[in-house]
Amino acid sequence: MFRKPVVALSLVVSTLAGTAVWAQTPSPAPPATTPTVVERTAKGPTARNFQVGVYLNVQPDCTSGTLPALRMVIPPANGTISIKRGKVSATNYKQCLALEVPGFIAFYQSKADFVGSDEVTIEVKYPAGRTEVQRIRIDVGGSGGGAPAGPKAPAGQKI
């Protein structure tokens, strides 16, 4: 639902030779809201896609609103971000006991040989005018799957 902007009007009355003149002057526009900055972290394996963000818009009646607009402000230095559209199911989210809504899901994949820390900055603009800037620190390391590595043998010995 879109609401029409409310414009406050001030009333100016002046008299010119006994005649009342009414003039309307619009109030100044409200100041632009500054974006909220959110710091987040994600962790995953080298050279494989893993989820770093979910973006949706849930209305107070637990239905989906218009999805937010996403813009990559600063790309990751050692990998790529891809956005996929999907359905997000949740229970006990805010006042909603159960819901399933469409959403955008952000995935990160590092370069084949990268191990370390990377960072991406994404701007999220919601239809109601709220803007959020997310700085996501991504810790990349190893294969990420399977069992933890066992003890290492000194060179030339078997365990």
Side-chain angles (χ1 to χ4, degrees):
M1 298 192 139
F2 293 101
R3 295 183 184 166
K4 292 184 179 181
V6 177
V7 177
L9 300 175
S10 59
L11 212 47
V12 178
V13 178
S14 64
T15 55
L16 298 172
T19 306
V21 178
W22 296 83
Q24 295 180 352
T25 56
S27 63
T33 58
T34 57
T36 304
V37 177
V38 176
E39 304 273 341
R40 298 189 318 106
T41 60
K43 186 175 184 175
T46 297
R48 294 193 36 213
N49 264 338
F50 58 91
Q51 182 178 310
V52 295
V54 176
Y55 307 95
L56 45 100
N57 185 6
V58 178
Q59 301 298 316
D61 66 353
C62 300
T63 60
S64 176
T66 304
L67 289 175
L70 304 177
R71 182 175 71 93
M72 190 163 20
V73 178
I74 301 171
N78 297 294
T80 58
I81 293 288
S82 61
I83 305 293
K84 298 188 189 306
R85 191 174 181 140
K87 286 199 180 224
V88 178
S89 297
T91 56
N92 302 320
Y93 177 75
K94 296 184 179 179
Q95 75 279 8
C96 306
L97 295 177
L99 60 91
E100 184 173 271
V101 295
F104 290 128
I105 304 162
F107 292 92
Y108 172 85
Q109 183 170 348
S110 72
K111 294 176 183 175
D113 58 350
F114 179 72
V115 174
S117 185
D118 206 351
E119 189 172 299
V120 64
T121 302
I122 298 174
E123 179 184 69
V124 184
K125 285 190 174 189
Y126 292 92
R130 182 173 64 99
T131 300
E132 192 174 275
V133 174
Q134 292 192 358
R135 285 191 203 123
I136 306 168
R137 180 177 168 207
I138 305 164
D139 293 320
V140 180
S143 62
K152 300 260 184 194
Q157 295 182 355
K158 291 184 179 179
I159 292 184

